Amino acid sequence: MDNHILEVNNLHVSFKTRNGEVPAVRGVNFSLKKGETLAIVGESGFGKSVTAKSIMQLLPKQNTIIPEGEILYEGKDLLKFSKKEIQNVRGSDISMVFQDPMTSLNPTMKIGKQIMEGLSRHMSLTKKQARERAKEMLELVGIPNTEARLDAYPHQFSGGMRQRVVIAIALACNPKVLIADEPTTALDVTIQAQILRLMRGLQEKMDTAIVLITHDLGVVANMADRVAVMYAGEVVEQGTLDEIFYSPQHPYTLGLLRSMPNLDAPRTEPLIPIPGSPPDPASLGTGCPFAARCPYTMKVCHDHNPDYTAVSGTQAVRCWLQDERTPEEHVPEVIRKGRQTSEIAADQAAIDAAGGVPV
Amino acid sequence: MKRYLIQRFAYAVITLFIIVTATFLLMQLLPGTPYSNAEKLTESQRAILDAKYGLDKPVAIQYITYIGNLIQGDLGYSFQYQGRTVMSMIGDRIGPSALIGLQGLVFGTIIGLVLGIISALRHNTAVDYVSVTIAVLGMSIPSFVFAALLQYFIGVKLGWLPVALWENYQSTILPSLALSVTVIATVARFIRSEMLEVLGQDYVTTARAKGLNESGVIWKHVIRNALIPVVTMLGPLAVSIMTGTLVIEKIFGVPGLGEQFTLSILVLDYSVIMGITLLYSALFIFVVFVVDVLYGLLDPRIDLKGGSKA
């Protein structure tokens, strides 16, 4: 589709280690429309951050291999860009907010200078104009007393304030895409909510598309338009926020949702964790990577990795349960039920797209 | 800041006082006398000499007298050289030591920094391995070996520079080079590991994510932060190297302080030993203080105005 600002196709990323190449990302696909928020969820170590960093090409060159795939930004493949060209994209077209605001600012450089650096790199501004703009950005992210704060050092800010500064740096040059890698994980809950609200507000104002990387489903529910669920370096399920939350089709997504605490449930009710532990990316077989932990495995799961099945116009799943050959009675009821609601939603979407039918 | 300075000065005085006391007492434990012909002296001759130098009095009185003189800035007279004050002896000897020390320090620091920085930027490549090897060799091979090699190749074989003797500027070069080897090795190793640590920091990724080019990232974000800890290490290194090292001064025939110090210990020239020890300690304390102040200037997280934590 033309209105995709960012498209990641069949991306593979591996790391060279002493024990050979370890695949961290294995064929990731997703796309992002202008002004949209895509959340990438999954447990730690499943290649979420690697995916994000490979878009900006911030992974260490010496030990990273990208054997396959393309990352299209406005139709152009970033992986084919020269060093210089990618530097021009970084910070001006695509920006990034990192996980830990305590470490992502240079401790010996004034905040103002850290914001102005990117500005003078990408926009032809005088020093005075850059400073003005930096001040505006601080105001925009809700930092009071901006004139004085420009000359303050990071250690004079609290964690939440620092993350605001990091966001100001990222958005200073009006990027079209913001990649936020666990932007609230290191913050306490009340600050989390503030930062998320701030990001949403700025997104509306600046029409930025956001790739939000998180393991926190609460954050996803708050922010995302669409969700991609990652498992062991693959996107196992992708869909709109409602589809993922109300009609998950992949057993892993289902497991994730079930392991989320429910405030309405009685306190005696235990959480349902996903049994087993995540697979070692260095020793993945040919089968579905979730097979070992999946309650619904079939024979085929252990030997062959399934392909994507489109469940609706917006939802796609990588699971053998979706295959036509899978006997209907083997498919668990939750997933079958979800499929129906998905269809209803898809029908509804089609109706909406057609201009809506008055009830 | 003022409070901090006063506090530091008070600490310095107390430290010096303790050092003086300890040295004074330790010296009393040394066997022998300062008189080179002690065996030939008659009882009465010795008594006259002891009286002249105040050695006939009890140790406590000697100590109090020394401290009293010290407070007035008087380091006393040498036992070894007739009529020479310790002050003037140090004055004569410190020049050459400081000169070769300073040259060795500046040269060694520059080369060490360049070596270490390049090595960190080319981490795990041939360049890195070579410079790490140089650093390890420089640390582990004693400086007198290098001194001898320099003398042999540059002095004897090539005949470019004098082998030894203190005559003109040329004679300072080889001892300075020999001194710089340790500095190169220490600085290179230190800056390399600091650089590698900073390169792995999140804020370096942030800087890259802003679109800065690699040299901008390295200069503005990496090197400055990596240099801060190097300053701490350089201070004490500077003192030890500029106050003269016995071995290098002996090998190259430099009339420096290190040589004098050893000589004085051998002949039990009490007042000179005290004087030079005091000078070393005072310099050391001063340099550590300068490093602390510099640290405050380089690293905004360290605030000297508070004064309570330093």
Side-chain angles (χ1 to χ4, degrees):
Chain A
M1 267 200 258
D2 287 345
N3 55 353
H4 284 159
I5 185 155
L6 185 73
E7 228 181 302
V8 174
N9 293 326
N10 193 31
L11 179 72
H12 288 257
V13 183
S14 302
F15 291 118
K16 279 186 248 174
T17 68
R18 262 183 221 123
N19 311 319
E21 274 176 39
V22 175
V25 173
R26 311 184 305 146
V28 160
N29 294 293
F30 62 81
S31 57
L32 191 67
K33 281 184 221 150
K34 232 178 160 218
E36 179 185 53
T37 301
L38 170 76
I40 302 183
V41 269
E43 288 167 66
S44 323
F46 281 168
K48 294 172 301 185
S49 288
V50 175
T51 306
K53 282 191 175 147
S54 59
I55 296 173
M56 298 273 282
Q57 291 175 36
L58 287 172
L59 294 166
K61 281 235 161 53
Q62 302 105 318
N63 55 4
T64 314
I65 317 162
I66 303 185
E68 256 185 275
E70 46 180 22
I71 298 170
L72 301 178
Y73 171 71
E74 294 185 324
K76 283 166 289 179
D77 190 355
L78 293 180
L79 293 174
K80 295 202 175 80
F81 272 31
S82 71
K83 216 171 159 185
K84 187 100 201 148
E85 284 172 311
I86 198 79
Q87 280 167 5
N88 288 334
V89 171
R90 284 182 195 158
S92 78
D93 296 294
I94 309 180
S95 274
M96 201 158 170
V97 170
F98 297 94
Q99 175 167 353
D100 189 353
M102 302 315 258
T103 57
S104 50
L105 292 169
N106 184 343
T108 59
M109 197 186 268
K110 287 175 181 165
I111 291 299
K113 199 167 171 214
Q114 298 196 46
I115 304 176
M116 282 152 65
E117 258 187 339
L119 286 168
S120 31
R121 166 77 179 79
H122 296 293
M123 301 163 130
S124 35
L125 297 177
T126 62
K127 230 179 173 171
K128 221 176 135 199
Q129 286 171 316
R131 199 180 157 88
E132 253 339 281
R133 171 80 182 151
K135 222 170 103 179
E136 265 171 48
M137 285 314 297
L138 281 190
E139 245 157 64
L140 208 58
V141 296
I143 290 178
N145 197 8
T146 50
E147 185 60 45
R149 291 311 245 170
L150 279 179
D151 290 319
Y153 287 97
H155 70 275
Q156 293 160 316
F157 288 76
S158 67
M161 281 294 163
R162 285 194 213 189
Q163 197 62 313
R164 285 170 193 262
V165 173
V166 174
I167 291 171
I169 291 175
L171 294 180
C173 299
N174 275 324
K176 298 200 180 88
V177 178
L178 177 72
I179 301 169
D181 187 358
E182 307 255 4
T184 56
T185 306
L187 304 172
D188 53 53
V189 187
T190 44
I191 308 296
Q192 272 186 21
Q194 287 176 16
I195 295 290
L196 292 176
R197 210 174 305 134
L198 172 74
M199 283 177 60
R200 245 191 349 238
L202 291 175
Q203 176 181 32
E204 269 165 38
K205 243 184 251 174
M206 306 173 99
D207 202 24
T208 321
I210 297 180
V211 178
L212 178 74
I213 292 168
T214 178
H215 62 263
D216 186 339
L217 291 169
V219 172
V220 175
N222 245 305
M223 293 285 290
D225 299 312
R226 286 191 307 118
V227 184
V229 181
M230 277 189 84
Y231 190 86
E234 293 174 359
V235 173
V236 292
E237 180 165 11
Q238 203 170 154
T240 62
L241 182 67
D242 284 351
E243 282 167 343
I244 296 295
F245 273 74
Y246 299 113
S247 57
Q249 290 296 294
H250 196 284
Y252 178 61
T253 317
L254 201 65
L256 273 186
L257 291 166
R258 278 192 180 150
S259 57
M260 203 165 57
N262 183 354
L263 278 183
D264 304 325
R267 283 171 71 175
T268 47
E269 192 174 292
L271 288 174
I272 311 167
I274 302 173
S277 50
D280 175 8
S283 52
L284 285 168
T286 52
C288 167
F290 190 59
R293 303 170 76 184
C294 181
Y296 316 117
T297 38
M298 299 173 287
K299 231 177 162 177
V300 64
C301 300
H302 294 287
D303 301 326
H304 300 282
N305 203 4
D307 220 331
Y308 283 108
T309 314
V311 184
S312 74
T314 45
Q315 190 174 12
V317 197
R318 239 180 150 162
C319 179
W320 283 117
L321 292 177
Q322 305 297 331
D323 194 273
E324 293 168 350
R325 286 163 291 180
T326 307
E328 192 67 5
E329 62 272 17
H330 186 82
V331 181
E333 212 199 323
V334 253
I335 287 178
R336 249 186 295 165
K337 238 180 16 205
R339 225 181 263 168
Q340 283 157 8
T341 48
S342 244
E343 273 160 25
I344 297 166
D347 290 346
Q348 188 59 46
I351 292 166
D352 288 346
V357 179
V359 183
Chain B
M1 192 67 187
K2 204 168 151 197
R3 208 186 123 200
Y4 174 72
L5 289 179
I6 293 168
Q7 200 177 14
R8 281 303 290 257
F9 186 73
Y11 283 143
V13 171
I14 295 168
T15 316
L16 275 180
F17 179 74
I18 294 170
I19 291 169
V20 168
T21 311
T23 318
F24 193 91
L25 294 177
L26 282 171
M27 262 185 345
Q28 300 299 323
L29 296 177
L30 286 174
T33 68
Y35 316 121
S36 55
N37 49 355
E39 309 89 52
K40 293 184 201 148
L41 290 176
T42 61
E43 207 49 35
S44 57
Q45 279 173 320
R46 211 182 142 156
I48 295 167
L49 280 171
D50 277 350
K52 182 182 173 196
Y53 290 108
L55 295 179
D56 54 342
K57 305 207 176 69
V59 175
I61 302 292
Q62 285 183 40
Y63 174 70
I64 291 168
T65 320
Y66 186 80
I67 295 288
N69 289 338
L70 191 61
I71 290 169
Q72 294 161 29
D74 180 8
L75 291 174
Y77 287 88
S78 164
F79 288 65
Q80 191 69 26
Y81 301 95
Q82 275 278 289
R84 298 221 40 196
T85 60
V86 173
M87 234 18 156
S88 77
M89 285 177 66
I90 290 177
D92 285 351
R93 291 284 192 145
I94 199 165
S97 285
L99 179 64
I100 60 167
L102 192 67
Q103 288 187 148
L105 186 75
V106 171
F107 179 75
T109 308
I110 293 170
I111 300 293
L113 284 180
V114 171
L115 211 62
I117 288 172
I118 291 175
S119 162
L121 294 178
R122 300 270 174 280
H123 186 40
N124 282 342
T125 63
V127 185
D128 184 24
Y129 297 141
V130 169
S131 90
V132 170
T133 312
I134 293 175
V136 171
L137 287 179
M139 290 284 269
S140 41
I141 299 179
S143 58
F144 60 81
V145 176
F146 285 107
L149 289 175
L150 285 172
Q151 283 182 323
Y152 181 68
F153 285 106
I154 296 177
V156 178
K157 282 261 162 176
L158 297 169
W160 288 352
L161 293 165
V163 172
L165 283 187
W166 191 255
E167 284 163 335
N168 47 19
Y169 181 72
Q170 265 81 28
S171 21
T172 69
I173 296 177
L174 285 188
S176 303
L177 279 179
L179 278 179
S180 71
V181 174
T182 323
V183 184
I184 292 176
T186 320
V187 171
R189 273 168 46 106
F190 205 80
I191 186 82
R192 176 179 174 273
S193 67
E194 284 302 322
M195 285 276 293
L196 288 179
E197 199 190 312
V198 175
L199 278 169
Q201 293 288 321
D202 289 347
Y203 59 80
V204 175
T205 315
T206 309
R208 291 211 176 98
K210 281 181 214 169
L212 298 187
N213 57 25
E214 203 51 30
S215 64
V217 174
I218 300 295
W219 279 110
K220 289 190 194 144
H221 293 272
V222 181
I223 290 188
R224 187 195 160 131
N225 283 299
L227 274 181
I228 295 172
V230 176
V231 171
T232 0
M233 179 214 70
L234 269 182
L237 192 65
V239 175
S240 73
I241 216 164
M242 284 175 65
T243 47
T245 54
L246 161 77
V247 180
I248 296 293
E249 285 178 4
K250 263 269 186 279
I251 291 179
F252 289 99
V254 178
L257 209 53
E259 201 202 0
Q260 178 65 65
F261 192 34
T262 341
L263 204 71
S264 305
I265 294 173
L266 288 176
V267 300
L268 282 183
D269 198 342
Y270 290 140
S271 51
V272 178
I273 300 176
M274 288 297 298
I276 296 180
T277 309
L278 201 65
L279 174 78
Y280 280 178
S281 321
L283 267 177
F284 204 89
I285 292 169
F286 178 70
V287 165
V288 169
F289 166 71
V290 170
V291 165
D292 282 354
V293 172
L294 263 181
Y295 221 91
L297 294 178
L298 287 173
D299 190 338
R301 283 167 295 184
I302 291 164
D303 184 11
L304 298 181
K305 285 178 202 103
S308 52
K309 278 182 205 162

